[in-house]
Amino acid sequence: QVHLVESGGGLVQAGGSLRLSCVASGIIFSITDFAWYRQAPGKQRELVARITSSGSTYYADSVKGRFTISTDNAKNTVYLQMNNLKSEDTAVYYCNALRKLPVTQFWGQGTQVTVSS
C-alpha cells in the first residue's frame, strides 16, 4: 500500500502563490507516476499536473506556465508550486500515485485551495 498526505493549501488572493506538498509512504518503489488532481464544487475531478519516474511532466492547459510539479526523492515528497493563482484555481487538490504492475491508483485526502478575487 501507499499512503499520501497533502499539505500547503489555504486562502490566497488572486495573483498570489502557494506550494502544495505530498508526502508518500509505504511501498513507494513501485510507483511510476505522481500527479496532482483538483475538484471544484459541482465539477469533475481533473488532472492538473503529472510527473513520471523519468522526470517527464505534463500540465493541463489551464495551468501551463503558472504551476510546476516536482519531486524530492530523498524526502519522498511531491510538490506543486502554484503561481499567479486565479479564482478558477479554487478547488480541493488531491495527490495521486500510480502503480502500473498491477495498475493501482492511490489518493491523498485532499487539501483545499481558495483563491479570492
Side-chain angles (χ1 to χ4, degrees):
Q1 286 289 3
V2 174
H3 189 52
L4 304 172
V5 179
E6 303 103 328
S7 61
L11 174 64
V12 64
Q13 288 188 333
S17 298
L18 282 175
R19 188 177 79 160
L20 305 183
S21 300
C22 171
V23 179
S25 61
I27 310 175
I28 59 176
F29 71 88
S30 62
I31 299 301
T32 56
D33 298 6
F34 284 99
W36 287 95
Y37 286 73
R38 68 186 180 187
Q39 187 167 20
K43 295 187 177 181
Q44 289 188 332
R45 190 172 297 189
E46 63 174 355
L47 175 62
V48 175
R50 177 180 300 280
I51 187 166
T52 70
S53 55
S54 63
S56 298
T57 56
Y58 162 86
Y59 296 94
D61 287 343
S62 58
V63 306
K64 278 182 182 176
R66 300 188 298 121
F67 290 11
T68 303
I69 188 170
S70 63
T71 58
D72 184 334
N73 293 332
K75 296 181 179 180
N76 295 330
T77 302
V78 183
Y79 301 101
L80 185 68
Q81 177 67 45
M82 306 185 294
N83 298 327
N84 189 21
L85 283 160
K86 304 176 180 181
S87 57
E88 51 263 43
D89 295 319
T90 295
V92 178
Y93 284 71
Y94 296 91
C95 182
N96 170 275
L98 175 65
R99 182 174 65 196
K100 292 186 178 178
L101 294 172
V103 175
T104 309
Q105 292 201 69
F106 302 93
W107 295 92
Q109 81 286 353
T111 185
Q112 176 70 47
V113 171
T114 303
V115 184
S116 63
S117 56

